Amino acid sequence: MNMADLPDALAGVMAGVNRLIRRRLRQEAPEPRLRGAQVELLRLVADNPGVSVSAAAKELYLAGNSVSTLVNQLTDAGLLRRETRSDDRRSARLLPTPEGEARLRAWRERRTAVFRELVDRLGEDDRAALVAALPALRRLADGLREEVTSA
């Protein structure tokens, strides 16, 4: 492959892997199945307990009303709870419920198991190539994150 084709090939492979992993995880997920944006919000709240709706929207690059809709869906499903802030009654803190934390932990475990299974199927040279590529992929992600957050 020539270097001029790398960006398109990389974008295609990464999008394809991500889409197929999500599809595989959804097939094995308990009911009700969560959509990608719901999982992203649940992960964000679990990693940042007490985050506000507006801060979550900013972090996820979504409109506030979209995040409010996701919050309502996850609250109705018993995976998230809203707590009124003591310092500002108009604002709410978002917290995962024990069921939400368990669901997220199970999702992460399934995701790791799927990747482990897939990586184990590869030959030693392919596994070594993936290990060697990780630092560059992290730098790529960091550069994109910086670009998106400064916009």
Side-chain angles (χ1 to χ4, degrees), residues 45-109:
V45 172
D47 292 343
N48 303 280
V51 68
S52 68
V53 172
S54 61
K58 184 176 180 181
E59 181 69 24
L60 296 173
Y61 308 103
L62 294 171
N65 62 341
S66 295
V67 172
S68 291
T69 299
L70 294 170
V71 167
N72 290 336
Q73 293 166 348
L74 291 170
T75 300
D76 291 347
L79 303 175
L80 206 63
R81 68 183 172 91
R82 256 188 227 116
E83 191 176 88
T84 303
R85 296 177 63 101
S86 59
D87 59 335
D88 182 357
R89 308 285 304 161
R90 298 167 298 164
S91 181
R93 297 169 6 112
L94 302 176
L95 300 160
T97 64
E99 183 181 345
E101 289 176 331
R103 184 87 179 259
L104 191 56
R105 191 171 34 259
W107 179 86
R108 286 177 170 155
E109 289 169 1

Side-chain angles (χ1 to χ4, degrees), residues 3-151:
M3 293 305 246
D5 295 334
L6 178 61
D8 190 49
L10 182 61
V13 167
M14 289 177 66
V17 167
N18 195 30
R19 182 175 47 256
L20 291 168
I21 290 293
R22 278 195 321 264
R23 188 172 297 156
R24 170 105 179 253
L25 291 173
R26 269 196 309 267
Q27 289 172 348
E28 300 169 4
E31 295 291 332
R33 292 186 178 139
L34 301 179
R35 295 188 337 265
Q38 291 171 321
V39 172
E40 285 184 46
L41 177 59
L42 189 55
R43 280 191 347 207
L44 177 70
V45 172
D47 292 343
N48 303 280
V51 68
S52 68
V53 172
S54 61
K58 184 176 180 181
E59 181 69 24
L60 296 173
Y61 308 103
L62 294 171
N65 62 341
S66 295
V67 172
S68 291
T69 299
L70 294 170
V71 167
N72 290 336
Q73 293 166 348
L74 291 170
T75 300
D76 291 347
L79 303 175
L80 206 63
R81 68 183 172 91
R82 256 188 227 116
E83 191 176 88
T84 303
R85 296 177 63 101
S86 59
D87 59 335
D88 182 357
R89 308 285 304 161
R90 298 167 298 164
S91 181
R93 297 169 6 112
L94 302 176
L95 300 160
T97 64
E99 183 181 345
E101 289 176 331
R103 184 87 179 259
L104 191 56
R105 191 171 34 259
W107 179 86
R108 286 177 170 155
E109 289 169 1
R110 283 192 322 275
R111 182 184 64 178
T112 298
V114 167
F115 270 102
R116 182 173 291 114
E117 175 188 324
L118 295 170
V119 169
D120 286 350
R121 289 185 203 163
L122 297 175
E124 189 64 37
D125 289 346
D126 284 340
R127 289 194 300 269
L130 287 174
V131 168
L134 284 175
L137 290 170
R138 283 190 186 109
R139 287 189 297 276
L140 188 71
D142 290 344
L144 183 58
R145 186 177 302 109
E146 287 174 17
E147 200 174 282
V148 171
T149 56
S150 68

